[in-house]
Coordinates of all heavy atoms in Angstrom, one line a residue:
S1 N 70.3 170.8 107.2 CA 70.5 170.1 105.9 C 70.6 168.6 106.2 O 70.2 167.8 105.4 CB 71.8 170.6 105.2 OG 72.9 170.4 106.0
S2 N 71.2 168.2 107.4 CA 71.3 166.8 107.7 C 70.0 166.1 107.8 O 69.9 164.9 107.6 CB 72.2 166.6 108.9 OG 71.6 167.3 110.0
C3 N 68.9 166.8 108.2 CA 67.6 166.2 108.3 C 66.7 166.6 107.2 O 65.5 166.3 107.3 CB 67.0 166.7 109.6 SG 67.8 166.0 111.1
R4 N 67.2 167.1 106.1 CA 66.3 167.6 105.1 C 65.5 166.5 104.5 O 64.3 166.8 104.2 CB 67.2 168.3 104.0 CG 66.4 168.9 102.8 CD 67.4 169.4 101.8 NE 68.4 168.4 101.4 CZ 69.5 168.7 100.7 NH1 69.8 169.9 100.4 NH2 70.3 167.7 100.4
D5 N 66.0 165.4 104.3 CA 65.3 164.3 103.7 C 64.8 163.2 104.7 O 64.3 162.1 104.3 CB 66.2 163.6 102.6 CG 66.6 164.5 101.5 OD1 65.7 165.3 101.1 OD2 67.7 164.4 101.0
L6 N 64.9 163.5 106.0 CA 64.5 162.6 107.0 C 63.3 163.3 107.8 O 63.5 164.1 108.7 CB 65.7 162.4 108.0 CG 66.9 161.8 107.3 CD1 68.1 161.7 108.3 CD2 66.7 160.5 106.6
R7 N 62.1 163.0 107.3 CA 61.0 163.8 107.8 C 60.4 163.4 109.1 O 59.4 164.0 109.6 CB 59.9 163.7 106.7 CG 59.3 162.3 106.4 CD 58.4 162.3 105.2 NE 57.8 161.0 104.9 CZ 56.7 160.7 105.3 NH1 56.0 161.5 106.1 NH2 56.2 159.5 105.0
H8 N 60.9 162.3 109.7 CA 60.3 161.9 111.0 C 61.2 162.4 112.1 O 62.4 162.1 112.2 CB 60.2 160.4 111.1 CG 59.4 159.8 110.0 ND1 58.0 160.0 109.9 CD2 59.7 159.1 108.8 CE1 57.5 159.4 108.9 NE2 58.5 158.9 108.2
T9 N 60.6 163.3 113.0 CA 61.4 164.0 114.0 C 60.7 163.9 115.4 O 59.5 163.7 115.5 CB 61.5 165.5 113.6 OG1 60.2 166.0 113.5 CG2 62.2 165.7 112.3
W10 N 61.5 164.0 116.4 CA 61.1 163.9 117.8 C 61.9 165.0 118.6 O 63.1 165.1 118.4 CB 61.4 162.5 118.4 CG 60.6 161.4 117.7 CD1 59.4 160.9 118.2 CD2 61.0 160.7 116.6 NE1 59.0 159.8 117.3 CE2 60.0 159.7 116.4 CE3 62.1 160.7 115.7 CZ2 60.0 158.8 115.3 CZ3 62.1 159.8 114.6 CH2 61.1 158.9 114.5
F11 N 61.2 165.7 119.5 CA 61.8 166.8 120.2 C 61.7 166.5 121.7 O 60.5 166.2 122.2 CB 61.2 168.1 119.9 CG 61.3 168.5 118.4 CD1 60.5 167.9 117.5 CD2 62.2 169.5 118.0 CE1 60.6 168.3 116.1 CE2 62.3 169.8 116.7 CZ 61.5 169.2 115.7
Y12 N 62.7 166.7 122.5 CA 62.6 166.6 124.0 C 63.7 167.4 124.6 O 64.8 167.7 124.0 CB 62.5 165.2 124.5 CG 63.7 164.3 124.2 CD1 64.8 164.2 125.1 CD2 63.8 163.6 123.0 CE1 65.9 163.4 124.8 CE2 64.9 162.7 122.7 CZ 65.9 162.7 123.6 OH 67.0 161.9 123.4
D13 N 63.6 167.7 125.9 CA 64.6 168.4 126.7 C 65.2 167.4 127.7 O 64.5 166.6 128.4 CB 64.1 169.6 127.4 CG 63.8 170.7 126.4 OD1 64.2 170.7 125.3 OD2 63.0 171.6 126.8
Q14 N 66.5 167.5 128.0 CA 67.2 166.8 129.1 C 67.6 167.9 130.1 O 68.4 168.7 129.8 CB 68.4 166.1 128.6 CG 68.1 165.0 127.5 CD 69.2 164.1 127.2 OE1 69.7 163.4 128.0 NE2 69.7 164.3 125.9
H15 N 67.0 167.8 131.3 CA 67.3 168.8 132.4 C 68.3 168.2 133.3 O 68.1 167.2 134.0 CB 66.0 169.1 133.1 CG 64.9 169.8 132.3 ND1 64.8 171.2 132.4 CD2 64.1 169.4 131.4 CE1 63.8 171.5 131.6 NE2 63.3 170.4 131.0
I16 N 69.5 168.8 133.3 CA 70.6 168.3 134.1 C 70.8 169.2 135.3 O 71.1 170.4 135.1 CB 71.9 168.2 133.3 CG1 71.6 167.6 131.9 CG2 73.0 167.5 134.0 CD1 72.6 167.9 130.8
H17 N 70.6 168.7 136.5 CA 70.5 169.6 137.7 C 71.6 169.2 138.7 O 71.8 168.0 139.0 CB 69.2 169.5 138.3 CG 69.0 170.4 139.5 ND1 69.1 171.8 139.4 CD2 68.9 170.1 140.8 CE1 69.0 172.3 140.6 NE2 68.9 171.3 141.5
G18 N 72.3 170.2 139.2 CA 73.3 170.0 140.2 C 72.6 169.9 141.6 O 71.9 170.8 142.0
E19 N 72.8 168.8 142.3 CA 72.2 168.5 143.6 C 73.0 169.0 144.7 O 72.5 169.0 145.9 CB 71.9 167.0 143.7 CG 71.0 166.4 142.7 CD 69.5 167.0 142.9 OE1 69.1 167.2 144.1 OE2 68.9 167.2 141.9
T20 N 74.2 169.6 144.5 CA 75.0 170.1 145.6 C 75.6 171.5 145.2 O 75.3 171.9 144.1 CB 76.1 169.2 146.0 OG1 77.1 169.2 144.9 CG2 75.6 167.7 146.2
G21 N 76.3 172.1 146.1 CA 77.0 173.3 145.7 C 78.3 173.2 145.0 O 79.0 174.1 144.7
V22 N 78.6 171.9 144.7 CA 79.9 171.6 144.0 C 79.7 171.7 142.5 O 78.8 171.2 141.9 CB 80.4 170.2 144.4 CG1 81.6 169.8 143.6 CG2 80.6 170.1 145.9
V23 N 80.7 172.4 141.8 CA 80.6 172.6 140.4 C 81.0 171.2 139.7 O 81.9 170.6 140.1 CB 81.6 173.7 139.9 CG1 81.7 173.7 138.4 CG2 81.2 175.0 140.5
V24 N 80.2 170.9 138.7 CA 80.5 169.7 137.9 C 80.7 170.1 136.4 O 79.9 170.9 135.9 CB 79.4 168.7 138.0 CG1 79.6 167.5 137.0 CG2 79.2 168.2 139.4
T25 N 81.7 169.7 135.8 CA 82.0 170.0 134.4 C 82.0 168.7 133.6 O 82.8 167.8 133.8 CB 83.4 170.7 134.2 OG1 83.4 171.9 135.0 CG2 83.6 171.1 132.8
F26 N 81.0 168.6 132.6 CA 81.0 167.5 131.7 C 81.7 167.9 130.4 O 81.5 168.9 129.9 CB 79.5 167.1 131.4 CG 78.8 166.6 132.5 CD1 77.8 167.3 133.1 CD2 79.0 165.3 133.0 CE1 77.0 166.8 134.2 CE2 78.3 164.8 134.0 CZ 77.3 165.5 134.7
T27 N 82.6 167.0 130.0 CA 83.4 167.2 128.8 C 83.2 166.2 127.7 O 83.7 166.3 126.6 CB 84.9 167.2 129.1 OG1 85.2 166.0 129.8 CG2 85.3 168.4 130.1
E28 N 82.3 165.2 127.9 CA 82.0 164.2 126.9 C 80.6 163.7 127.1 O 80.1 163.6 128.2 CB 83.0 163.0 127.1 CG 82.9 162.0 126.1 CD 84.0 160.9 126.3 OE1 85.2 161.3 126.4 OE2 83.7 159.7 126.4
R29 N 80.0 163.5 125.9 CA 78.6 163.0 125.9 C 78.5 161.9 124.8 O 78.8 162.1 123.7 CB 77.7 164.2 125.6 CG 76.2 163.9 125.7 CD 75.4 165.1 125.6 NE 75.3 165.7 124.2 CZ 75.9 166.8 123.9 NH1 76.6 167.5 124.8 NH2 75.8 167.3 122.6
E30 N 78.0 160.7 125.2 CA 77.9 159.6 124.3 C 76.4 159.4 124.0 O 75.6 159.4 125.0 CB 78.5 158.3 124.9 CG 80.0 158.4 125.1 CD 80.5 157.2 125.8 OE1 79.8 156.5 126.5 OE2 81.8 157.0 125.7
N31 N 76.0 159.3 122.8 CA 74.6 159.2 122.3 C 74.3 157.8 121.8 O 75.1 157.3 121.0 CB 74.3 160.2 121.3 CG 74.6 161.7 121.8 OD1 74.0 162.1 122.7 ND2 75.5 162.3 121.1
F32 N 73.2 157.2 122.2 CA 72.8 155.9 121.8 C 71.4 155.9 121.2 O 70.5 156.6 121.7 CB 72.9 154.9 123.0 CG 74.2 154.8 123.6 CD1 74.6 155.6 124.7 CD2 75.1 153.9 123.2 CE1 75.8 155.5 125.3 CE2 76.4 153.8 123.7 CZ 76.8 154.6 124.8
F33 N 71.2 155.2 120.1 CA 70.0 155.1 119.5 C 69.6 153.6 119.2 O 70.4 152.9 118.6 CB 70.1 155.8 118.1 CG 68.7 156.0 117.4 CD1 68.0 157.2 117.7 CD2 68.2 155.1 116.5 CE1 66.8 157.4 117.0 CE2 67.0 155.3 115.9 CZ 66.3 156.5 116.1
D34 N 68.5 153.2 119.8 CA 68.1 151.8 119.8 C 69.2 150.8 120.3 O 69.4 149.8 119.7 CB 67.7 151.4 118.3 CG 66.4 152.0 117.9 OD1 65.6 152.5 118.8 OD2 66.1 152.1 116.7
G35 N 69.9 151.3 121.3 CA 70.9 150.5 121.9 C 72.2 150.5 121.3 O 73.1 149.8 121.7
R36 N 72.4 151.3 120.2 CA 73.6 151.3 119.4 C 74.3 152.7 119.6 O 73.6 153.7 119.7 CB 73.4 151.0 118.0 CG 73.0 149.6 117.6 CD 72.8 149.4 116.1 NE 72.6 148.0 115.8 CZ 71.4 147.4 115.7 NH1 70.4 148.1 116.0 NH2 71.4 146.2 115.4
F37 N 75.6 152.6 119.7 CA 76.4 153.9 119.8 C 76.2 154.7 118.5 O 76.4 154.1 117.4 CB 77.9 153.6 120.1 CG 78.8 154.8 120.1 CD1 78.7 155.7 121.1 CD2 79.7 155.0 119.0 CE1 79.5 156.8 121.1 CE2 80.5 156.1 119.0 CZ 80.4 157.0 120.1
V38 N 75.9 156.0 118.6 CA 75.7 156.8 117.5 C 76.9 157.8 117.3 O 77.5 157.8 116.2 CB 74.4 157.6 117.6 CG1 74.3 158.6 116.4 CG2 73.2 156.6 117.6
N39 N 77.2 158.5 118.3 CA 78.3 159.5 118.2 C 78.7 160.0 119.6 O 78.1 159.7 120.6 CB 78.0 160.6 117.3 CG 77.2 161.7 118.0 OD1 76.4 161.4 118.8 ND2 77.4 163.0 117.6
K40 N 79.8 160.7 119.6 CA 80.3 161.3 120.9 C 80.5 162.8 120.6 O 81.1 163.2 119.7 CB 81.6 160.6 121.3 CG 82.2 161.2 122.6 CD 83.4 160.3 123.1 CE 84.6 160.3 122.1 NZ 85.7 159.6 122.6
N41 N 80.0 163.6 121.6 CA 80.2 165.1 121.5 C 81.1 165.5 122.6 O 81.0 165.0 123.7 CB 78.8 165.8 121.7 CG 77.8 165.4 120.6 OD1 76.8 164.8 120.9 ND2 78.1 165.7 119.4
N42 N 82.0 166.4 122.3 CA 83.0 166.9 123.3 C 82.8 168.3 123.8 O 83.7 168.9 124.3 CB 84.4 166.7 122.7 CG 84.7 165.2 122.5 OD1 84.5 164.4 123.4 ND2 85.4 164.9 121.4
E43 N 81.6 168.8 123.6 CA 81.3 170.2 124.1 C 81.4 170.2 125.7 O 81.0 169.2 126.3 CB 79.9 170.7 123.7 CG 79.7 170.9 122.3 CD 79.1 169.6 121.6 OE1 79.1 168.5 122.2 OE2 78.6 169.8 120.5
T44 N 81.8 171.3 126.2 CA 81.9 171.4 127.7 C 80.6 171.9 128.3 O 80.2 173.0 127.8 CB 83.1 172.3 128.1 OG1 84.3 171.7 127.7 CG2 83.1 172.5 129.6
I45 N 80.0 171.2 129.2 CA 78.9 171.7 129.9 C 79.3 171.9 131.4 O 79.6 171.0 132.1 CB 77.7 170.7 129.9 CG1 77.3 170.5 128.4 CG2 76.5 171.2 130.7 CD1 76.2 169.5 128.3

């Protein structure tokens, strides 16, 4: 619904790879659009 009236869309994947045997837990993600802060997500990866 948030994109219902916004017809211009772009799709891509971000592949995040662990380079060692050590576990890494991300708890915060900051998103930027055209150099401006958009939002922060707190899902755990």
